[in-house]
Amino acid sequence: MSNNSKPPLRPHYPAYYHPLLSGFIRVFELDPGSPADPIVGRLVSQTIGGPSYEAVSYVWGDPRQRCDLTISGATLSVTANLHGALTVFRHRQRRRRLWADALCINQDNVPERTAQVELMGSIFKGATRVLAWLGWEEGAEGRQHTLDAIRFIRSFMRDPETGLREARILLLHHDVSVTGPSSRLAVLASEDERRQFEDQAQRWEAVKLFFDTKYFHRAWIVQEVGLAREAIMYAAPKPPDHDSDYDLVLDSVEWQLVGQFVKFMDYRGASLVTHLGLMSWVAHHVLMVWETLEDGSPKCDFLTSMHWVRILGVTDARDRVYSLLGHPCAVLDGQLVIRPDYTVTRGVVYTQLAANFILKTKDLYAVSMVDHDMDPCGQESRVWDPGDESRMPSWVPDWHSINRTTPMDWPHPAADAGEAEIDIEGGLEGANGKMMPHLLVKGWIVDEIAAVSRRMETTDFPVTNLTREMAKENPFWLDRVWAVVFPPSGTHENRHPLTMLEMLSLAFPLGTREKDEPVSIVGPQQSLNDHQRSFAAYVLDYHNLWRQTLRDTGGEIRKAAGCVPDRSLYDSLPEESQAVLRKRAEGATSEGFLECMTWPSMCRVVYRTASGDVGIGSRITCPGDLVCRIPGSKVLMTLRRIPGEGEEGTRRDTISCVFVAPTVVPARMKIRDEELDQKSVRFRIV
């Protein structure tokens, strides 16, 4: 499917697009020809299980750049990118049966388009092969980059561990640009090391350009290659403008191999991915949507799938939901979780989807997907407006905003869903001027947030050198986070610094807390012991960088806008705590900690609560926000009282608030009801 269901400048569809019977599709029978010949063919209707066909996966491209083709003697205008795909996929000697959305669906017929969107998953699953068109390669240099990337991925995956070790040289010399072979090189240790650096830089630059291709950044790709029996990705040199007889050469790579590469890099090379700015992790989101358990059942539920797809592009925001209706978990109580409707706003679609899950399951997992870009308290009006696509309640995830965080999928429920008191008050139809629905829940206020760090960026995490450190958004970020959770002055409720340090380290990967359980379910899985050792090594690495910085600058750099803290985290600890860290770090490296915390911590903040606990939460978290435990939610929630909101019109024991985000406080995740000495309260979340 394209990256939009209703593109602008859509052509008029000829009269021969006769209505389709229920469950039927059209297939385009493409006549054979040479690359320069006009595209000619005909449409036939059939069931998905009828004669075999191949499905075309491509990007719509610029709707203003169009080419004509002939269908049953009539002319149809399609985007230049689809025309290119048909050109390269056409056989020389025999007819080829293809399914492509812009050809096989009458986009002028809204009921047909809606019905075909529901079938999309089955269409790609039923195809004998999915042909993914990456686009034309621009010139000799463009083709060389594609070839280099494909060859490197194939070579790398024959021995990925060795390949990753060889790539570490790019991390060791952070002050060297890797924008191409002509970049400035720093003085390296030897001529051999210089050649190794140049070789690695060139190879990874080609890989970077490969994953920058627009194709990998479309939401519809999730179904198209995820459900395919076989998916092959193709690119080709752009043909000459006036050559009617040229040889068409295709460059190809199997999606399965690409998937193995991006999965390995995300789990074993996260620091390299972030350092080089590789967009390979975007393609990994496609794989995560279709992961299965040992028994073959889906590992990723529908709502988590929606979260992973948020980074991918669509022109129509409603297609973020509709492009996943082929997922096995898109059925709830025997019905689709939602049916396509292009007559209402995305805010209404997303609200209906979230409400459907909440009411039918009595589970608040949908709410834990919320990741606000801006403070939701700024909304003065809380009524529906069909002219505002983004208007929706604060408890509804805006799946059209870019996902900057990983889901907080806690392995052990923090609340008993069976005791949940959950209701939704108000209509879900999105009628103009009507009040948006409120989420009514019952729970406890566990704590209040007292201090918050700056937002953490993935580029902050690697321990580098002074040049690279000073270029970061948050130089010496770990020392600064520590100053928030354990300030030099102030009360810490008699908390030992090692206790605070362990709470902090466990917050970063959003992990479990048992000795033999993995620390993180996102990325590499470390035992608690391995996690403590690798974190200790990380603290020492940062301390050594801080100490080297002071030696090299004579301490004068402290005057440069306060970039270097007055003390490192390690220096702030008592001698006995320092000794413990040194002992833990013996024989350990910081890589394990860095890999398991990079994705969970990105774009989040660390905070200290009023009682002295350490937590990690949303980038919009503020002092005064309430950390709450709500039955029906696997994680704690952060709520914010509505300023000036009184009790008028509500029960006296009800707090009106907006939903900020899910949150993790390692020391309070397994809190029991009997440990909560205050009575429960009701929350009206607008």
Side-chain angles (χ1 to χ4, degrees):
M1 184 67 179
S2 63
N3 58 334
N4 57 304
S5 281
K6 191 176 181 181
L9 302 179
R10 190 177 60 246
H12 175 69
Y13 279 73
Y16 57 71
Y17 277 86
H18 302 299
L20 286 168
L21 297 175
S22 177
F24 273 63
I25 63 172
R26 298 186 186 92
V27 171
F28 182 57
E29 293 186 339
L30 175 61
D31 287 348
S34 64
D37 289 341
I39 300 295
V40 179
R42 67 206 50 79
L43 291 170
V44 295
S45 63
Q46 65 173 67
T47 62
I48 295 174
S52 62
Y53 63 92
E54 297 167 293
V56 179
S57 175
Y58 69 104
V59 179
W60 278 78
D62 188 342
R64 296 167 297 185
Q65 297 179 8
R66 312 195 70 84
C67 300
D68 290 341
L69 51 80
T70 302
I71 302 179
S72 300
T75 299
L76 180 69
S77 173
V78 298
T79 62
N81 206 40
L82 175 55
H83 190 275
L86 296 174
T87 299
V88 300
F89 294 146
R90 174 172 49 187
H91 289 314
R92 286 272 189 165
Q93 304 295 332
R94 58 187 175 86
R95 184 176 296 168
R96 195 167 195 176
R97 307 185 79 249
L98 301 173
W99 186 94
D101 56 352
L103 289 178
C104 301
I105 300 175
N106 184 349
Q107 302 284 335
D108 287 337
N109 187 321
V110 175
E112 177 183 307
R113 183 158 53 92
T114 300
Q116 291 288 291
V117 166
E118 286 192 24
L119 294 175
M120 206 66 63
S122 298
I123 291 172
F124 278 89
K125 190 174 182 179
T128 56
R129 184 184 297 107
V130 170
L131 310 173
W133 173 235
L134 303 182
W136 297 115
E137 299 159 343
E138 295 291 342
E141 185 179 10
R143 183 167 190 232
Q144 191 60 52
H145 281 142
T146 301
L147 289 174
D148 286 347
I150 292 174
R151 289 168 181 165
F152 178 67
I153 290 172
R154 292 189 189 282
S155 172
F156 183 93
M157 290 311 298
R158 284 194 284 269
D159 187 0
E161 293 290 351
T162 298
L164 189 58
R165 282 197 301 271
E166 292 176 348
R168 295 288 180 193
I169 191 172
L170 300 178
L171 285 172
L172 295 175
H173 301 282
H174 292 270
D175 55 338
V176 180
S177 172
V178 288
T179 56
S182 62
S183 61
R184 177 181 62 85
L185 294 179
V187 177
L188 300 179
S190 65
E191 187 63 28
D192 182 64
E193 192 175 35
R194 175 188 289 272
R195 285 195 297 270
Q196 183 185 355
F197 181 94
E198 289 178 317
D199 177 66
Q200 288 292 318
Q202 186 176 31
R203 290 167 181 261
W204 286 97
E205 176 67 12
V207 173
K208 183 181 187 304
L209 293 173
F210 181 75
F211 286 106
D212 284 345
T213 303
K214 290 182 180 179
Y215 180 83
F216 291 106
H217 301 265
R218 311 164 42 248
W220 285 99
I221 186 182
V222 177
Q223 278 194 156
E224 293 170 359
V225 300
L227 289 172
R229 303 179 191 178
E230 179 187 20
I232 304 177
M233 298 180 165
Y234 294 92
K238 193 171 185 178
D241 293 333
H242 306 292
D243 191 347
S244 60
D245 186 21
Y246 64 91
D247 292 328
L248 185 64
V249 180
L250 288 178
D251 301 314
S252 65
V253 62
E254 304 81 11
W255 162 247
Q256 182 182 19
L257 181 66
V258 173
Q260 293 170 353
F261 175 80
V262 299
K263 184 174 182 178
F264 177 85
M265 291 303 300
D266 244 18
Y267 286 161
R268 302 299 301 275
S271 57
L272 185 67
V273 169
T274 57
H275 172 63
L276 299 180
L278 296 183
M279 298 299 286
S280 57
W281 57 271
V282 175
H284 186 207
H285 284 201
V286 178
L287 298 176
M288 290 190 283
V289 168
W290 302 105
E291 284 184 343
T292 58
L293 300 172
E294 290 183 3
D295 62 1
S297 60
K299 182 178 181 180
C300 189
D301 61 90
F302 189 81
L303 291 175
T304 307
S305 299
M306 285 286 299
H307 182 85
W308 292 129
V309 175
R310 284 170 69 166
I311 193 62
L312 301 173
V314 292
T315 301
D316 190 321
R318 294 164 291 194
D319 283 339
R320 295 203 178 280
V321 184
Y322 306 153
S323 66
L324 282 175
L325 292 181
H327 194 278
C329 292
V331 176
L332 199 60
D333 289 345
Q335 302 290 328
L336 277 177
V337 292
I338 195 168
R339 294 200 174 275
D341 184 353
Y342 290 100
T343 67
V344 295
T345 67
R346 85 167 191 255
V348 174
V349 172
Y350 295 174
T351 302
Q352 290 175 350
L353 178 68
N356 194 21
F357 272 96
I358 291 170
L359 293 176
K360 288 188 176 181
T361 65
K362 289 299 180 181
D363 185 293
L364 293 173
Y365 184 57
V367 182
S368 71
M369 296 286 104
V370 171
D371 183 30
H372 293 297
D373 274 325
M374 301 177 63
D375 190 337
C377 280
Q379 302 175 357
E380 294 183 2
S381 175
R382 301 190 184 98
V383 298
W384 287 115
D385 178 7
D388 185 351
E389 280 285 330
S390 64
R391 183 164 297 187
M392 63 194 79
S394 68
W395 50 270
V396 174
D398 184 359
W399 283 290
H400 194 53
S401 65
I402 295 177
N403 69 314
R404 304 179 191 276
T405 57
T406 58
M408 289 185 173
D409 189 8
W410 199 264
H412 297 287
D416 185 355
E419 299 176 0
E421 295 186 25
I422 301 171
D423 199 6
I424 294 176
E425 182 180 85
L428 301 170
E429 297 78 17
N432 189 23
K434 294 294 185 180
M435 187 69 68
M436 289 190 292
H438 297 165
L439 176 63
L440 307 178
V441 295
K442 184 178 179 181
W444 295 267
I445 299 175
V446 174
D447 214 333
E448 183 172 324
I449 294 173
V452 180
S453 75
R454 294 183 62 178
R455 188 177 86 177
M456 298 178 290
E457 309 289 345
T458 53
T459 52
D460 294 336
F461 302 146
V463 183
T464 60
N465 55 34
L466 178 59
T467 302
R468 186 75 176 187
E469 198 70 30
M470 299 303 289
K472 289 181 178 179
E473 186 74 19
N474 301 309
F476 295 91
W477 76 279
L478 183 64
D479 303 318
R480 298 180 184 280
V481 167
W482 181 245
V484 170
V485 301
F486 203 80
S489 60
T491 60
H492 304 294
E493 297 291 328
N494 297 319
R495 296 287 179 89
H496 193 280
L498 270 184
T499 301
M500 297 291 286
L501 193 60
E502 288 173 357
M503 280 196 292
L504 175 64
S505 74
L506 289 171
F508 289 132
L510 315 180
T512 58
R513 306 299 167 252
E514 303 301 327
K515 183 176 67 171
D516 297 325
E517 291 179 346
V519 171
S520 176
I521 59 172
V522 180
Q525 295 191 347
Q526 288 187 308
S527 68
L528 183 58
N529 179 62
D530 287 342
H531 171 76
Q532 290 176 338
R533 296 180 68 240
S534 63
F535 179 67
Y538 187 76
V539 172
L540 290 176
D541 284 350
Y542 245 118
H543 173 66
N544 290 334
L545 174 60
W546 175 83
R547 188 170 54 184
Q548 184 65 42
T549 297
L550 295 189
R551 280 201 303 264
D552 292 346
T553 62
E556 292 301 315
I557 193 112
R558 298 189 200 188
K559 300 177 182 178
C563 289
V564 181
D566 291 334
R567 62 175 185 170
S568 69
L569 186 163
Y570 178 84
D571 261 354
S572 72
L573 301 175
E575 289 185 7
E576 63 272 18
S577 298
Q578 293 179 353
V580 171
L581 284 186
R582 290 196 303 272
K583 180 66 175 176
R584 289 178 180 175
E586 289 179 0
T589 67
S590 60
E591 288 180 4
F593 170 75
L594 189 60
E595 299 300 336
C596 77
M597 60 78 64
T598 294
W599 301 132
S601 296
M602 67 177 182
C603 296
R604 286 193 161 111
V605 299
V606 172
Y607 60 79
R608 185 184 78 252
T609 70
S611 63
D613 288 331
V614 179
I616 191 168
S618 164
R619 57 192 175 276
I620 68 166
T621 302
C622 294
D625 287 348
L626 306 176
V627 178
C628 303
R629 178 181 182 272
I630 311 294
S633 172
K634 290 185 177 181
V635 294
L636 300 175
M637 293 183 174
T638 312
L639 304 177
R640 185 175 302 160
R641 297 177 188 266
I642 298 176
E645 189 90 2
E647 304 294 340
E648 184 177 353
T650 66
R651 295 177 46 151
R652 298 187 64 83
D653 61 348
T654 299
I655 298 176
S656 293
C657 53
V658 296
F659 185 81
V660 175
T663 191
V664 162
V665 183
R668 305 301 295 271
M669 288 309 297
K670 294 184 179 179
I671 189 171
R672 299 175 180 173
D673 292 354
E674 56 267 23
E675 296 172 353
L676 292 163
D677 53 4
Q678 66 269 51
K679 67 176 183 179
S680 63
V681 296
R682 296 180 183 274
F683 299 98
R684 177 183 297 272
I685 308 176
V686 301

